[in-house]
Amino acid sequence: MPRNTEKIHDLNKDLFVKIKIPNVPRPSFIWNYFGHLYKQPNEPLDIERIYCKICFDKIKEEYSDSSFFSKRRRIGIYGVTSGTGNMKNHLLAVHQLTEVNETRRTNNHILSMFSRDRDSTKSSQLKEQLGHQLTLMCCKDLLPFSIVDNEGFQDFLIANKVVSKKTEIPSRSILSPVNLNKIYNVCVEKTKEKMKLSTKYPTITCDAWCDKYKHRSYICITVHFIDSKLQLHRYSLKTQPFDEAHTGEAIKDLISGVLTEFGINVHNVIVVSDKGANMRKAWRLLNVIHIFCVAHGIHNLLMKDCFPNMHYVSELFDKVQLIINKLRYRQHELENEHFQLDTKKYNDLFSSINKAGEILDADLASTNLDADDSEVLNEKCQNSNPEELWLSNDLKMRSNTSENTYKFNCSALINNHNDSNRFHTLKKRVLTRWNTILIMLRSYADNISSIEVILGRLKHFDLILSVNENQIVRDLIEFLSLFESTTTILSASKSYPTISLCLLLRIEIESLLRIDGMESSVIEELKCLLSENLDNRFPVSHLNICAFLLDPSQLKIDISKYLAQCQTNKESILCEMVKKFRINHVTQESANSNVSTLSPSCTLVTTATSDSSSSTTTSDSSSPTTTSSASVKRILSVESLNPPVQNLKKLKENLIQKHKPTLSSGIDHTLNEIQNYLQLDIHCDDVLQFWQSSGDAYPHLKSLAQIILAIPATSTPSEQVFSTTGLILNAKRTMLLPENVGKIQMIHDNYNLLKNT
C-alpha cells in the first residue's frame, strides 16, 4: 500500500529515492535517474509512482528544512505505468540529459538537415527533419510552437506538398521540449567550438532584467571577440532565470559557472556592464577588467547630474508630459463613446480616425467641437508654416444631427507621409531611459499648433506653453540630439568596433559644450552642468586612448590633453597594453626557445651583442625586461643539472642564458614597431580591414587590436537580448518555462551557427 505523502515531513533525514534497473534486455537509460521513494532500504513509501532522483536530491539540498509535501510539485513524479518517453522528456526539458548515442545522432542530423535529399529519405526521417526545421523557425521568428496546431498552417503545408496529410506534421509536444532541447544542445556545442577561435581575452556583457508578466528576474551574458582573420564575432552565451538575491557573490558564482561551461578562463575576460554596486562587487571578486557602459554614463549625466538641478527644465518636461497625458485620457474617453455608436451610420467617421491614427484625430471628433473651433483650427493651419505641421490644409467637416443622436464634426486630419522624419503620435517619456524625453519633446514640437487649439477648446489654458517655452523645447531638441547620436553610434557593436570611437565622440561633445554666447540661458546652464560632470560620467581611461590609437585614421588628431591627464604618452600607452595582455611575453617565450637551439659559439656571440646593447637601456629589478620567468629560472638553475657540475660547458651556457637580458631586445623591437605605426597618416574606412591587410607589419599591435577592438563601448548587446526576451514572453506565452525562454533566446541569437554554411 502507498503511504500518504501529506504526512511525510522528514525530507532531509529519512527519505531517499532508490533506483532499481529493470531486469530486461537493454533497459532504457532513464532508469539510471528514476526510482521509488523509500524511508528505509527495505521500506518503500510509494510503489505506485516513479520519482526523479536528480530533482529529489536538488530539493533535498536546497530546502532541507521544508516538508516533502510542500516541495512535491518541484519533483518529476510519474505513475509506474507511464511510458519511458514522458520521463525521457523530463530529463531533456529540466536537466538537459539525453542518451549519448542519441545526442550524437541528433547533432549530425541538425547540422545536415538543410541539405537533405528528400527523395532518399524515409518518411520518419522527413517528419523528424520537418520537426527540427519548424522548431528552428519558431525560435528564429519568435513564433509560438502551437503554430503546428493551426488549421491554416497545416493546410499551407499540405497545399505546398511539404506533407501529404496532417498526421505527418510534428505535434506541438515534439517541437517543445524534445526538439527544443536537442537543438539547444547543438547550439551550445557549436558556440563552444566558435569560442576556440577567440583570443585569450574575450569580452562579455552582462545585465539583469525582470519580465512584466511573471515579474521573474533573468540574467544574460553575451560574448564578443575578434578571430585571427579579424572577423568580429558576437554570441549569446546564456539567458536564464535569476531568482536568488542579486548580490555580488551570487552574480560572481553564476558568471563563473557559465564561463567555465563554455571553456572561457574566468580571470581573463573583459566585462562591460553598468556601474551597479552588485555588478562592481562581482567583477572585483572575479578580478577582471571592468569597463563602465558609456550609454549608462550618458543617462546618469543627464538624468542625475543635469535635469534635476535645472528646475525650470524639469518643470517644463512635467508640463509637456501632463499635456500628453490629458490628450491620451481624452482619446480614451472618446473611443469609449464612439464604440457605443451605430458603426454603420458613422463608418466614415471611424475610417477617418483610424486612417490618421492620431490622438488629435479622435479628440477633434468630439461632440464639443463647434464651427468656431473649426474656423480657428483651419485659420491656424493656413497661417502656420506648412513644413512644421503634420496636418493637411483641407479641413472637411461632417455633421449628422438627430434628436436621439449626438452632433459630430470631424476633421479629416491626414498624416504627411512624405516626411518620414516626423512623428505621427504623441509619445510619453520613460524615466529609466533619458532618450524618451527627447522623443517626447519631438512628438510635442511636431504637433504644437494642433495641441494649442485642442487645449483651448478643452479649457486647459493653463497647459498651453508660452512662445518662450516652445522655443526652449526646440532648443533642447537640437542640443540633445548630439547625445542621442553618440548613444546610437556607440551601441552598434554588431556592425563595427565601437570602443575606438569613444574618445572621438568625447572630443566632439566637449567642442559643443563650449559657450559661444549665442545660446539661450537654459542651454548655457545645461552646458555648464554637463561640462562639470562629464569627466565623472564619461571618463577617459588608458584603454579608451589605446583603442583610439588603434584606428590609424585617428592618429593625427590632437589628444595631448588626455595624455597629460593620464600622465603618459602614446608610446607608453601602447607598450603598457601590450605588456598588460602579455602579448610581448608570448613573443619572447618563442624567442627564448630559439636561443636554446643555437650552438655554444652562437650563444656567446649573441650574449656579447646583448650586453653591449643593454648598456644603453635602463634596468629595473622588478621589470620583466631584466629577469626571466620563474619557469625559466627553475630550468636553468644549477640544482637542475643532473649530475651537477659534471659538464662545465653546459653549465656555463645555461647560466649565460639565465642572466642575460634577453627580453630587452624584444621590448626594443616592440617600441620600434609602435613608433613606426604612430608615423602613419592614412585614411581608413574599416579599421578591421586595415589590421587584416597591414597587421603583419605590426604583429604586436595586431594582437592588441584583436583584444581591444572587440570590446563594445556599451552593454547594449545585453539590452538587445532582453528586448528579444520581451517579445518571447508576450501576453499569450506567459506559461512558457523560464528555462525554455533562455533556450529560445540563445537559438534565436546564434541561429547562423545551426546553418550548414
Side-chain angles (χ1 to χ4, degrees):
M1 293 292 293
R3 302 292 182 93
N4 186 355
T5 55
E6 295 187 24
K7 297 180 180 180
I8 300 175
H9 297 287
D10 298 328
L11 174 64
N12 61 329
K13 296 180 180 179
D14 301 329
L15 302 184
F16 66 95
V17 172
K18 181 178 181 181
I19 293 178
K20 184 179 180 181
I21 300 178
N23 187 19
V24 295
R26 300 181 64 184
S28 173
F29 80 98
I30 66 102
W31 298 113
N32 295 320
Y33 305 99
F34 281 87
H36 294 292
L37 186 66
Y38 276 71
K39 185 174 183 180
Q40 294 179 3
N42 297 320
E43 185 181 347
L45 292 178
D46 193 352
I47 61 175
E48 294 183 358
R49 295 179 180 85
I50 303 294
Y51 293 79
C52 175
K53 189 176 187 303
I54 302 176
C55 292
F56 187 90
D57 292 342
K58 183 178 180 181
I59 296 299
K60 187 175 181 180
E61 179 181 355
E62 294 182 358
Y63 304 95
S64 57
D65 297 330
S66 302
S67 67
F68 171 77
F69 185 76
S70 65
K71 302 300 178 184
R72 187 168 178 267
R73 294 179 179 271
R74 294 175 174 263
I75 303 175
I77 305 177
Y78 298 88
V80 291
T81 59
S82 298
T84 58
N86 294 331
M87 289 176 266
K88 185 184 296 184
N89 290 343
H90 171 82
L91 293 176
L92 283 170
V94 180
H95 307 299
Q96 292 79 50
L97 289 175
T98 184
E99 199 168 9
V100 177
N101 294 334
E102 182 180 353
T103 302
R104 189 180 299 112
R105 183 179 65 84
T106 302
N107 293 1
N108 295 333
H109 171 72
I110 293 175
L111 295 177
S112 61
M113 68 182 180
F114 289 97
S115 59
R116 274 192 175 275
D117 184 6
R118 183 180 178 85
D119 297 331
S120 61
T121 307
K122 297 180 181 180
S123 58
S124 60
Q125 291 177 324
L126 287 173
K127 184 174 182 178
E128 185 180 7
Q129 174 189 353
L130 179 61
H132 285 131
Q133 290 175 334
L134 289 175
T135 306
L136 267 178
M137 179 193 73
C138 291
C139 292
K140 177 58 181 175
D141 297 336
L142 307 181
L143 299 172
F145 296 113
S146 60
I147 190 175
V148 294
D149 297 332
N150 297 344
E151 184 177 359
F153 182 73
Q154 294 175 347
D155 292 341
F156 170 81
L157 296 180
I158 295 174
N160 289 274
K161 300 181 180 180
V162 178
V163 295
S164 58
K165 51 186 178 181
K166 294 184 178 181
T167 55
E168 296 179 1
I169 302 174
S171 66
R172 174 182 177 179
S173 60
I174 292 296
L175 267 59
S176 176
V178 179
N179 284 351
L180 177 62
N181 284 286
K182 292 179 180 179
I183 295 176
Y184 172 75
N185 292 335
V186 175
C187 188
V188 170
E189 293 302 320
K190 294 295 290 182
T191 305
K192 290 179 181 179
E193 290 179 15
K194 286 295 183 181
M195 289 307 305
K196 296 177 182 178
L197 303 175
S198 171
T199 62
K200 291 184 179 180
Y201 297 90
T203 300
I204 65 169
T205 69
C206 180
D207 204 353
W209 173 78
C210 181
D211 77 271
K212 64 180 181 180
Y213 294 104
K214 294 287 188 177
H215 302 290
R216 182 188 295 272
S217 295
Y218 290 83
I219 192 168
C220 78
I221 304 101
T222 67
V223 65
H224 309 257
F225 63 88
I226 296 175
D227 61 21
S228 58
K229 296 181 180 179
L230 277 298
Q231 299 295 320
L232 187 61
H233 293 260
R234 167 186 166 181
Y235 303 106
S236 287
L237 292 185
K238 190 75 73 173
T239 301
Q240 67 180 56
F242 192 39
D243 295 330
E244 54 189 304
H246 293 192
T247 62
E249 290 81 1
I251 296 174
K252 171 246 181 185
D253 293 339
L254 187 146
I255 297 296
S256 298
V258 172
L259 296 180
T260 303
E261 177 185 353
F262 285 89
I264 302 173
N265 190 327
V266 177
H267 302 293
N268 283 357
V269 295
I270 304 169
V271 181
V272 180
S273 73
D274 60 33
K275 218 171 183 178
N278 54 351
M279 288 289 183
R280 285 185 293 173
K281 184 175 182 179
W283 314 136
R284 188 168 61 253
L285 292 173
L286 286 174
N287 192 25
V288 297
I289 301 173
H290 177 214
I291 299 174
F292 181 42
C293 169
V294 176
H296 282 86
I298 292 177
H299 171 82
N300 292 334
L301 177 65
L302 294 169
M303 299 297 289
K304 294 184 178 181
D305 299 332
C306 296
F307 294 154
N309 294 321
M310 301 179 66
H311 302 293
Y312 181 78
V313 172
S314 298
E315 292 173 0
L316 182 61
F317 292 159
D318 293 338
K319 197 170 183 179
V320 172
Q321 181 67 79
L322 182 59
I323 291 171
I324 293 174
N325 289 340
K326 287 286 185 181
L327 295 178
R328 284 181 176 273
Y329 179 74
R330 181 60 179 159
Q331 178 195 19
H332 180 70
E333 285 183 329
L334 294 169
E335 286 175 349
N336 291 337
E337 291 179 14
H338 296 161
F339 183 75
Q340 301 173 8
L341 300 176
D342 185 354
T343 56
K344 268 190 178 180
K345 188 171 184 180
Y346 301 104
N347 185 58
D348 56 343
L349 174 63
F350 283 111
S351 299
S352 177
I353 294 174
N354 292 333
K355 185 176 181 181
E358 294 293 337
I359 294 172
L360 303 179
D361 290 4
D363 196 67
L364 288 170
S366 67
T367 59
N368 298 323
L369 180 62
D370 53 26
D372 293 336
D373 292 326
S374 302
E375 292 175 0
V376 171
L377 180 59
N378 193 25
E379 181 180 357
K380 201 165 188 78
C381 292
Q382 291 176 356
N383 294 335
S384 301
N385 185 354
E387 294 182 357
E388 297 180 355
L389 290 175
W390 60 272
L391 302 175
S392 61
N393 290 328
D394 56 329
L395 195 61
K396 301 179 181 179
M397 306 299 300
R398 294 186 179 91
S399 60
N400 297 292
T401 16
S402 174
E403 293 181 359
N404 299 324
T405 61
Y406 292 103
K407 174 182 178 182
F408 285 93
N409 297 302
C410 180
S411 170
L413 305 176
I414 309 301
N415 294 335
N416 182 7
H417 294 284
N418 295 327
D419 189 354
S420 60
N421 294 324
R422 291 295 176 188
F423 285 83
H424 302 304
T425 55
L426 295 179
K427 302 289 187 179
K428 296 196 300 183
R429 66 179 174 182
V430 180
L431 295 179
T432 56
R433 294 290 184 271
W434 82 265
N435 59 311
T436 58
I437 290 180
L438 181 58
I439 294 173
M440 177 186 72
L441 295 180
R442 282 173 175 165
S443 68
Y444 167 80
D446 288 340
N447 301 295
I448 287 178
S449 300
S450 303
I451 288 173
E452 289 178 352
V453 172
I454 295 173
L455 291 176
R457 175 173 50 76
L458 296 175
K459 314 305 181 186
H460 291 307
F461 298 105
D462 57 318
L463 293 180
I464 298 178
L465 301 187
S466 65
V467 175
N468 184 43
E469 289 174 325
N470 285 330
Q471 185 58 45
I472 292 175
V473 168
R474 295 187 180 95
D475 291 342
L476 287 170
I477 291 172
E478 181 180 359
F479 181 76
L480 294 176
S481 295
L482 168 67
F483 292 90
E484 182 191 42
S485 301
T486 300
T487 305
T488 302
I489 292 171
L490 295 180
S491 299
S493 57
K494 187 183 292 186
S495 306
Y496 49 80
T498 54
I499 190 69
S500 59
L501 300 173
C502 281
L503 188 55
L504 183 63
L505 290 170
R506 163 74 188 251
I507 294 171
E508 174 64 13
I509 290 174
E510 287 186 1
S511 67
L512 292 175
L513 292 182
R514 298 191 186 101
I515 298 174
D516 54 14
M518 302 297 292
E519 60 276 308
S520 64
S521 59
V522 173
I523 299 300
E524 181 178 345
E525 182 182 357
L526 181 58
K527 285 184 176 182
C528 291
L529 287 172
L530 289 171
S531 299
E532 292 173 4
N533 297 279
L534 187 61
D535 287 336
N536 182 37
R537 300 298 187 180
F538 197 161
V540 177
S541 64
H542 285 209
L543 194 141
N544 293 133
I545 298 176
C546 176
F548 177 86
L549 295 175
L550 288 173
D551 187 344
S553 60
Q554 301 178 157
L555 290 175
K556 298 306 177 182
I557 298 177
D558 182 18
I559 58 170
S560 56
K561 169 186 173 182
Y562 307 106
L563 293 171
Q565 289 176 357
C566 296
Q567 298 180 350
T568 185
N569 55 52
K570 295 180 180 180
E571 291 85 354
S572 299
I573 284 281
L574 294 175
C575 282
E576 175 191 341
M577 289 297 167
V578 166
K579 189 183 300 183
K580 183 181 184 68
F581 293 105
R582 301 188 182 97
I583 296 172
N584 190 54
H585 176 69
V586 173
T587 305
Q588 292 310 312
E589 283 184 347
S590 60
N592 289 339
S593 63
N594 292 335
V595 170
S596 63
T597 61
L598 296 175
S599 63
S601 59
C602 292
T603 305
L604 291 175
V605 172
T606 306
T607 304
T609 306
S610 176
D611 289 341
S612 62
S613 62
S614 63
S615 61
T616 60
T617 60
T618 303
S619 62
D620 186 354
S621 60
S622 64
S623 172
T625 61
T626 59
T627 59
S628 303
S629 65
S631 59
V632 174
K633 284 184 177 181
R634 185 171 59 254
I635 294 172
L636 299 179
S637 64
V638 177
E639 291 79 1
S640 67
L641 295 176
N642 188 22
V645 201
Q646 283 191 354
N647 190 340
L648 295 179
K649 186 176 180 180
K650 183 176 181 181
L651 172 62
K652 180 180 178 180
E653 292 173 4
N654 282 280
L655 291 176
I656 290 173
Q657 291 184 28
K658 174 183 176 182
H659 293 288
K660 71 179 181 179
T662 55
L663 295 179
S664 60
S665 60
I667 289 295
D668 291 342
H669 175 72
T670 304
L671 185 59
N672 290 336
E673 175 187 319
I674 291 172
Q675 290 173 344
N676 292 335
Y677 168 75
L678 293 176
Q679 297 303 315
L680 293 178
D681 186 7
I682 61 175
H683 176 71
C684 175
D685 292 329
D686 189 340
V687 62
L688 293 183
Q689 181 64 36
F690 166 80
W691 288 109
Q692 184 179 15
S693 58
S694 306
D696 292 340
Y698 314 100
H700 294 82
L701 295 180
K702 179 182 178 180
S703 299
L704 183 62
Q706 284 181 252
I707 297 172
I708 300 298
L709 297 182
I711 302 173
T714 69
S715 59
T716 299
S718 298
E719 301 285 348
Q720 292 173 343
V721 165
F722 290 137
S723 295
T724 306
T725 308
L727 296 175
I728 296 173
L729 282 170
N730 56 41
K732 294 184 178 180
R733 303 185 75 181
T734 56
M735 297 304 293
L736 197 62
L737 290 176
E739 295 79 9
N740 288 347
V741 172
K743 293 172 184 176
I744 295 171
Q745 173 66 57
M746 184 177 185
I747 295 171
H748 174 273
D749 282 4
N750 302 346
Y751 175 76
N752 289 334
L753 296 181
L754 299 172
K755 285 189 175 181
N756 196 15
T757 54

